[in-house]
Amino acid sequence: MTSPKTKVASPTEKFFVLIAVCCAAAAMPLTFTGPAVALPAISRSLGGSPIALNWVTNAFMLTFGSSLMAAGALADSFGRRRIFLTGVGCFALFSAGLAFAGDIVLFDILRALQGLGAAAAFSGGMASLAQEFDGTARMRAFSIVGSSFGVGLAFGPIASGLMIDAFGWPSIFLLVVALALLSLGLAAYFLRESRDPDATGLDWPGALSFTLALTLFTYGVLRAPETGWSDLLVIALLAGAALLFLAFGIIERSVKRPMLDLTLFRYPRFVGVQLLAAAPAYAFVVLLILLPVRFVGIEGMSEIAAGRMMIALSAPLLILPVIAGLLTRWFSAATICGGGLLISAAGLFWLSHFAAGSAPQALIGPLLMIGIGISLPWGLMDGLAVSVVPKERAGMATGIFSTTRVAGEGVALAVVSAILSAFIQSKLGAPAGEQASAAAQRLVTGDLAAAASNVPAIGHDALIHGYGDAFSALLWLLTAITTITAIVVFSFLGRGASNDMAEDAAPLLPEEEELRISKA
């Protein structure tokens, strides 16, 4: 496909291309913060089992995260503009369909398709920006896109709460559709086509094995609270996921142009960046989903009040990532990132001391602390992703980083939801009897009434108390994990660039040695 515009883009054209990508970036966080606020209302309207309700969020995050690398490869091969327009168009179409879904199964299927569209839009958009901008202008453009994502995170819950209160839960997808259509129109007119002339197409075996492995793992983790970890199907799902991940590693080491270059993991600083990419998943993103469910479904807040509470958690993302960039003049990236994660850990520990039903204003302090802590590494992560590897591998490093961050969020949410369910079941104890598992799963999805009907011997107050104790125990666990991550990230990122150069001088792989000899 030839480019419709062969001349160099004017500043005005570049500006509108940036606006198009920013609109798509702002719409994406709305697709998981909005349904989190609306989950109790969706449950009342569409019904569904706890597993089906968990897939409301996980279906989107799973397909989004697992498809990013494949979408990037398709963009390089078939055209970045084409993939971006296709992705945004599908994203808008499936988002509109969600507003009219009549049952939970159709809703979950549309969420999965929406994630595929988001992956194509994100990969095509970011790759297109890299072609339109150079040098410091490119860094500023990527920073603006990151800020747009932050705007969606900061104001998504309150905007969703207002729309749910005024028009019902289907209305939360109207804003998403509006932003997507605006992005589609601007990109269709201003964005030029580009592709990688050396691209060899999609690594289909690698893409399929990776996506299927993530799907089996996520389904197994979500099913375990209902049937038990000893259930044969759960064991088969997790074993299948392990085998597919192993197959994926073998495939990527054998293909000529892998979707995932595993040799990058020989750089300790690159490994540190991947841990940093995963950290917000369990220190921040899971709270964007679990807290609105707690506020609305368990504590009985309105959607608007819950949205206001979430601003305290996400508003720091509007300002602090920029400040973090300025702080690099005086502090190393390792210090800023490690310190930020420790602040988040302190906020998580502080939040664990407030039981369900505590005064809302008492939670603002710990929520702000968590948001402040995660905002400091947030502004540095994308730059670090490409700075810790040789320049010629920057594109691959960005794809791996994005996949780690987004796929990690889906996996973390599935795992954390299963852990919360197990903690609740333990807290309910003997009085709940055999129905403790069913009640715990209902509480995780914010359906207090259904949980109470499962265990009529336990009153509402006791259920809320058990949920609150379990939530606190979960926060203690997340505190420990975030603290350990902070220490490891500080240690790995603190290695000097000279160390990485030494790593790069390590013995060559057989194919690299063969290439060196042929050139000689």
Side-chain angles (χ1 to χ4, degrees):
M1 178 177 177
T2 58
S3 171
K5 298 177 183 178
T6 56
K7 65 182 181 65
V8 176
S10 68
T12 300
E13 290 173 325
K14 291 183 178 182
F15 171 78
F16 282 112
V17 167
L18 178 58
I19 293 297
V21 178
C22 285
C23 287
M28 289 177 194
L30 295 176
T31 61
F32 56 86
T33 56
V37 174
L39 188 60
I42 293 172
S43 174
R44 291 191 297 269
S45 176
L46 302 182
S49 67
I51 290 180
L53 292 171
N54 279 324
W55 277 112
V56 166
T57 299
N58 281 287
F60 174 83
M61 300 179 83
L62 173 66
T63 55
F64 185 23
S66 62
S67 303
L68 277 173
M69 286 193 292
L74 290 173
D76 287 342
S77 298
F78 298 105
R80 292 147 184 150
R81 178 179 184 271
R82 175 182 292 179
I83 295 299
F84 179 72
L85 293 178
T86 301
V88 174
C90 292
F91 182 69
L93 177 64
F94 297 131
S95 297
L98 284 164
F100 302 98
D103 62 79
I104 194 65
V105 174
L106 176 60
F107 190 93
D108 289 342
I109 292 173
L110 289 172
R111 286 287 281 166
L113 294 172
Q114 188 189 36
L116 291 175
F122 184 86
S123 296
M126 298 302 278
S128 295
L129 281 186
Q131 305 303 312
E132 296 288 346
F133 295 90
D134 296 303
T136 56
R138 179 185 297 172
M139 294 181 64
R140 285 196 300 269
F142 276 60
S143 176
I144 292 171
V145 173
S147 298
S148 301
F149 199 89
V151 169
L153 284 177
F155 296 107
I158 185 61
S160 298
L162 289 169
M163 297 183 76
I164 293 168
D165 184 70
F167 308 108
W169 68 261
S171 65
I172 63 176
F173 298 105
L174 297 180
L175 180 58
V176 174
V177 172
L179 287 170
L181 291 179
L182 177 59
S183 173
L184 185 66
L186 291 173
Y189 188 80
F190 292 104
L191 182 59
R192 300 177 301 161
E193 186 60 280
S194 64
R195 58 167 55 90
D196 181 359
D198 298 322
T200 57
L202 179 61
D203 170 21
W204 284 106
L208 292 175
S209 59
F210 181 75
T211 301
L212 188 55
L214 271 181
T215 302
L216 293 183
F217 179 81
T218 303
Y219 182 48
V221 171
L222 290 178
R223 181 179 172 83
E226 180 177 351
T227 61
W229 292 96
S230 60
D231 177 66
L232 290 179
L233 180 55
V234 171
I235 294 173
L237 288 168
L238 297 180
L243 291 174
L244 283 167
F245 277 126
L246 178 61
F248 173 70
I250 295 173
I251 291 168
E252 296 308 282
R253 290 189 65 87
S254 62
V255 298
K256 182 178 180 181
R257 185 160 179 167
M259 187 172 69
L260 172 62
D261 185 355
L262 296 175
T263 64
L264 287 173
F265 287 90
R266 73 186 186 193
Y267 302 105
R269 296 181 74 219
F270 179 78
V271 176
V273 168
Q274 304 316 306
L275 291 174
L276 184 62
Y282 47 79
F284 176 75
V285 173
V286 294
L287 297 181
L288 292 174
I289 308 301
L290 296 181
L291 284 176
V293 173
R294 166 178 165 170
F295 292 152
V296 177
I298 305 300
E299 301 187 16
M301 288 187 187
S302 68
E303 285 85 357
I304 296 176
R308 288 199 200 100
M309 291 295 297
M310 297 306 294
I311 290 178
L313 181 66
S314 52
L317 284 173
L318 299 177
I319 301 172
L320 287 183
V322 177
I323 295 177
L326 298 176
L327 289 176
T328 55
R329 299 179 182 179
W330 300 282
F331 303 99
S332 69
T335 300
I336 296 171
C337 294
L341 291 180
L342 287 177
I343 293 172
S344 286
L348 289 166
F349 183 69
W350 186 7
L351 184 62
S352 70
H353 288 75
F354 295 97
S358 298
Q361 59 269 23
L363 305 183
I364 293 176
L367 291 178
L368 271 174
M369 179 174 283
I370 296 169
I372 289 170
I374 212 66
S375 296
L376 293 175
W378 194 284
L380 304 179
M381 290 191 294
D382 292 277
L384 286 171
V386 297
S387 68
V388 297
V389 298
K391 183 178 179 181
E392 63 272 13
R393 300 190 180 188
M396 176 70 73
T398 301
I400 297 172
F401 173 82
S402 298
T403 300
T404 300
R405 179 161 59 181
V406 179
E409 291 169 358
V411 170
L413 183 59
V415 172
V416 167
S417 297
I419 292 173
L420 178 58
S421 179
F423 283 172
I424 294 173
Q425 185 176 349
S426 174
K427 297 297 180 182
L428 294 181
E434 296 180 355
Q435 296 300 315
S437 175
Q441 293 173 68
R442 289 296 180 182
L443 288 173
V444 169
T445 61
D447 195 342
L448 181 60
S453 67
N454 281 319
V455 284
I458 300 180
H460 276 66
D461 290 343
L463 285 173
I464 293 173
H465 181 73
Y467 175 92
D469 288 346
F471 205 96
S472 293
L474 175 66
L475 290 173
W476 294 338
L477 177 61
L478 296 181
T479 298
I481 295 173
T482 304
T483 301
I484 294 171
T485 303
I487 296 170
V488 175
V489 165
F490 178 81
S491 175
F492 279 29
L493 291 183
R495 294 169 62 101
S498 58
N499 289 18
D500 279 342
M501 294 298 290
E503 296 285 347
D504 201 32
L508 297 176
L509 297 174
E511 60 269 22
E512 294 173 326
E513 177 65 18
E514 181 180 345
L515 178 62
R516 184 190 67 79
I517 293 174
S518 66
K519 287 185 176 179

